[in-house]
């Protein structure tokens, strides 16, 4: 069949991206979809930051993906496949096909991420793309996957936009979002720091930073805090000294670092070096808040994280059976506990495979239907819902703080509150956007 003929099979809703070569389409009787596997294997695309400010998260994501592939193919101890409430997976690949994978480097840049995802789809015939440690990257790649007719299982992306104004029918997110962080953090901040505070925000200059700042501002202002300044900082910034000086000159008594990865490590280090944590302002001890935490960030920042509050999607110290199974598998393979980035990417790979098994197909629209409204447990966050209206997962959210007396280089955060899912659940319409229709690509 010629390329022209294959394009003629495209449904009216399957629009190819400008300048994007047509992936290979296969027709099976009346059904057609992008990169349908024809042999004994199926290829997944793991698109992670292997360079740039989020490279540490990307390295851990890739470790988790490789572990998931091992488990899906019947190797290792099976990890969370043993605790997952769905029992559709058999350890013989996906739908009897061996799982293979290709990797790409997003560089934490949207253009680079789209280019590597496009290559995976067109050249490597990946039937699903997953990964990322930046919401700007996630939104860009999710849009590409929608155009190409493949499923996108988002990795670490925290902006409201991913399943809000930029949501897509072919995209799904397990990770929590900025709104949830704000809703979980505010009561803890009020109880520990009082309701009469003046906050200064430093915010990464892209969509994740914007929505995180907005979420924390909205939730803290609602309880009485005043926002005295909000300053954008470049994602490429490594020295934040020039941004800390104005904080000292303001009357703020709280600094909110809407930074992640290497950005957070550097900005927090600079803030501590400038003596912010030793200051008394407005008769109160000066405090620093990190809305989105990870073990990798805590390790990078070292003793500077002690006593600092933040939120996280998951932590390796959780005692549920799923978390323990994953920590055991990951630890035995790599020699250290997994990060929240590793956890969410492992879960996304397993959830995708499980949806294929339950749907009996790799067709993205069948997979999407199996994921929409899916309720599950045993994956480390308690009972979880993949909401049909926006493809966002809802589960318990952890509020953590840096440990005062860590016992090891990995034991840096302590869980201070497990916020019930009901407390962070919101109406699917509040962030706008249209989910649209699933695109099978053919």
């Amino acid at each position: 069949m010629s390329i022209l003929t294959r394009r003629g099979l495209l449904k009216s809703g399957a629009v190819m991206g400008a300048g994007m070569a047509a992936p290979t389409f296969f027709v099976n009787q009346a059904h057609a979809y992008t990169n349908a596997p024809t042999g004994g294997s199926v290829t997944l695309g793991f698109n992670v930051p292997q360079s740039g400010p989020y490279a540490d998260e990307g390295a851990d994501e890739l470790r988790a993906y490789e572990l998931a592939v091992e488990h899906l193919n019947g190797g290792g101890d099976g990890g969370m496949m043993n605790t997952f409430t769905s029992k559709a997976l058999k350890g013989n690949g996906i739908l009897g096909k061996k799982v293979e994978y290709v990797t790409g480097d997003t560089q934490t840049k949207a253009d680079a991420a789209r280019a590597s995802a496009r290559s995976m789809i067109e050249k490597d015939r990946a039937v699903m793309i997953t990964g990322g440690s930046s919401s700007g990257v996630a939104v860009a790649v999710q849009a590409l996957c929608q155009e190409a007719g493949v499923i996108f299982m988002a990795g670490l992306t925290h902006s409201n936009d991913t399943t809000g104004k930029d949501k897509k029918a072919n995209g799904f997110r397990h990770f929590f979002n900025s709104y949830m962080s704000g809703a979980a953090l505010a009561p803890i901040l009020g109880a520990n720091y009082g309701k009469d505070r003046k906050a200064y925000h430093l915010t990464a200059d892209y969509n994740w930073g914007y929505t995180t700042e907005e979420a924390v501002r909205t939730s803290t202002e609602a309880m009485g805090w005043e926002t005295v300044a909000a300053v954008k900082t470049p994602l490429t910034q490594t020295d934040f000294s020039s941004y800390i000086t104005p904080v000292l000159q303001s009357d703020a008594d709280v600094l909110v670092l809407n930074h992640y990865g290497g950005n957070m490590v550097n900005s927090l280090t600079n803030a501590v070096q400038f003596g912010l944590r030793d200051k008394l302002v407005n008769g109160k001890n000066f405090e620093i808040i990190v809305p989105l935490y990870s073990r990798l960030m805590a390790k990078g920042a070292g003793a500077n994280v002690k006593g600092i509050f933040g939120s996280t999607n998951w932590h390796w110290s959780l005692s549920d059976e799923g978390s323990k199974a994953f920590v055991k598998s990951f630890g035995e393979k790599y020699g250290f506990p997994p990060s929240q980035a590793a956890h969410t990417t492992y879960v996304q790979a397993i959830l995708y495979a499980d949806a294929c098994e339950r749907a009996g197909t790799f067709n993205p629209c069948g997979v999407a239907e199996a994921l929409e409204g899916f309720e599950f447990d045993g994956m480390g966050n308690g009972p979880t819902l993949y909401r049909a209206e926006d493809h966002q997962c809802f589960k318990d959210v952890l509020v953590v703080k840096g440990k005062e007396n860590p016992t090891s280089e990995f034991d840096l955060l302590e869980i201070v509150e497990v916020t019930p899912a009901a407390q962070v659940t919101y109406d699917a319409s509040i962030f706008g956007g249209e989910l649209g229709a699933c695109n099978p690509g053919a």
Side-chain angles (χ1 to χ4, degrees):
M1 183 181 292
S2 69
I3 291 293
L4 180 62
T5 305
R6 287 199 293 268
R7 285 175 177 168
L9 290 171
L10 287 173
K11 296 182 179 180
S12 59
V15 181
M16 295 301 299
M20 179 178 175
T24 306
F25 300 114
F26 294 86
V27 177
N28 179 13
Q29 298 177 355
H31 305 288
Y33 58 94
T34 302
N35 293 342
T38 57
S41 65
V42 59
T43 301
L44 309 182
F46 300 154
N47 207 21
V48 303
Q50 299 183 54
S51 59
Y54 296 168
D56 286 347
E57 278 73 20
D60 228 30
E61 288 180 331
L62 198 52
R63 294 181 189 105
Y65 283 135
E66 292 171 348
L67 181 62
V69 169
E70 179 180 329
H71 290 167
L72 289 170
N73 286 332
D77 60 11
M80 283 195 282
M81 284 172 51
N82 298 317
T83 60
F84 188 18
T85 49
S86 174
K87 301 302 179 187
L89 294 168
K90 304 174 179 66
N92 63 342
I94 307 175
L95 295 174
K97 297 183 182 293
K98 181 182 178 182
V99 181
E100 298 182 347
Y101 65 91
V102 291
T103 67
D105 181 8
T106 69
Q107 303 174 41
T108 319
K109 297 176 181 177
D111 289 345
R114 283 178 66 96
S116 58
R118 181 183 290 113
S119 176
M120 292 175 183
I121 295 168
E122 297 178 357
K123 178 183 175 183
D124 302 305
R125 296 187 53 245
V127 73
M128 181 271 276
I129 302 296
T130 179
S133 285
S134 156
S135 292
V137 162
V139 166
V141 175
Q142 180 170 257
L144 175 75
C145 290
Q146 180 70 34
E147 296 166 1
V150 300
I151 288 290
F152 175 64
M153 300 295 283
L156 197 159
T157 167
H158 187 243
S159 171
N160 296 332
D161 295 350
T162 309
T163 47
K165 72 179 184 66
D166 295 310
K167 59 180 171 279
K168 301 294 182 186
N170 283 45
F172 292 83
R173 170 167 60 178
H174 170 263
F175 207 70
F176 71 147
N177 65 16
S178 300
Y179 175 94
M180 298 177 190
S181 286
L185 271 173
I188 304 301
L189 298 178
N192 285 270
Y193 300 149
K195 299 183 178 180
D196 179 22
R197 284 283 186 165
K198 295 184 177 182
Y200 194 113
H201 288 253
L202 291 181
T203 300
D205 192 10
Y206 74 109
N207 63 346
W208 169 73
Y210 309 151
T211 64
T212 301
E213 176 194 307
E214 179 186 20
V216 176
R217 286 183 62 166
T218 299
S219 60
T220 55
E221 288 174 1
M223 67 181 183
W225 287 26
E226 175 187 350
T227 303
V228 299
V231 178
K232 305 293 188 293
T233 63
L235 187 59
T236 54
Q237 194 75 22
T238 55
D239 185 350
F240 291 85
S241 300
S242 62
Y243 292 95
I244 301 299
T245 301
V247 180
L248 292 164
Q249 298 168 345
S250 74
D251 65 344
D253 48 48
V254 174
L255 173 61
V256 183
L257 295 176
N258 301 302
H259 291 156
Y260 194 74
N263 288 159
M264 173 270 181
V265 171
N266 292 329
S267 62
L268 176 59
T269 299
N270 288 156
V272 173
Q273 289 171 341
F274 273 70
L276 282 183
R277 299 197 72 183
D278 300 322
K279 288 179 65 66
L280 193 68
V281 181
N282 304 322
K284 305 177 181 70
N285 291 327
F286 195 99
E287 304 292 352
I288 301 175
I289 299 164
V290 178
L292 180 59
Y293 245 138
S294 80
R295 178 187 64 74
L296 296 173
M297 290 159 56
K299 181 180 179 181
N304 294 332
V305 303
K306 290 184 178 182
I308 291 180
F309 285 105
S311 66
T312 191
N313 188 67
W314 176 86
H315 192 258
W316 66 269
S317 66
L318 288 168
S319 60
D320 63 278
E321 292 305 310
S323 293
K324 289 193 293 184
F326 180 54
V327 170
K328 177 178 179 291
S329 293
F330 191 97
E332 288 179 352
K333 188 173 181 68
Y334 300 113
F336 48 84
S339 64
Q340 66 170 352
H343 172 259
T344 202
T345 52
Y346 176 94
V347 170
Q348 284 285 70
I350 298 300
L351 287 173
Y352 171 78
D354 175 77
C356 292
E357 291 285 351
R358 290 186 292 109
T361 182
F362 291 102
N363 186 312
C365 296
V367 175
E369 186 176 352
L371 285 169
E372 290 178 340
F374 180 48
E375 297 181 78
F376 59 92
D377 203 344
M379 300 292 270
N381 285 104
T384 303
L385 166 68
Y386 238 133
R387 187 161 67 179
E389 291 88 344
D390 55 2
H391 296 182
Q392 173 63 52
C393 269
F394 288 88
K395 54 194 182 301
D396 296 344
V397 170
L398 306 181
V399 176
V400 296
K401 71 174 180 178
K403 272 195 171 182
E404 296 289 351
N405 298 297
T407 59
S408 73
E409 62 177 312
F410 308 112
D411 181 36
L412 302 175
L413 299 175
E414 63 177 296
I415 299 170
V416 298
E417 183 76 18
V418 178
T419 306
Q423 187 175 317
V424 299
T425 298
Y426 54 87
D427 188 275
S429 66
I430 68 172
F431 298 122
E434 295 293 333
L435 193 64
C438 173
N439 177 20

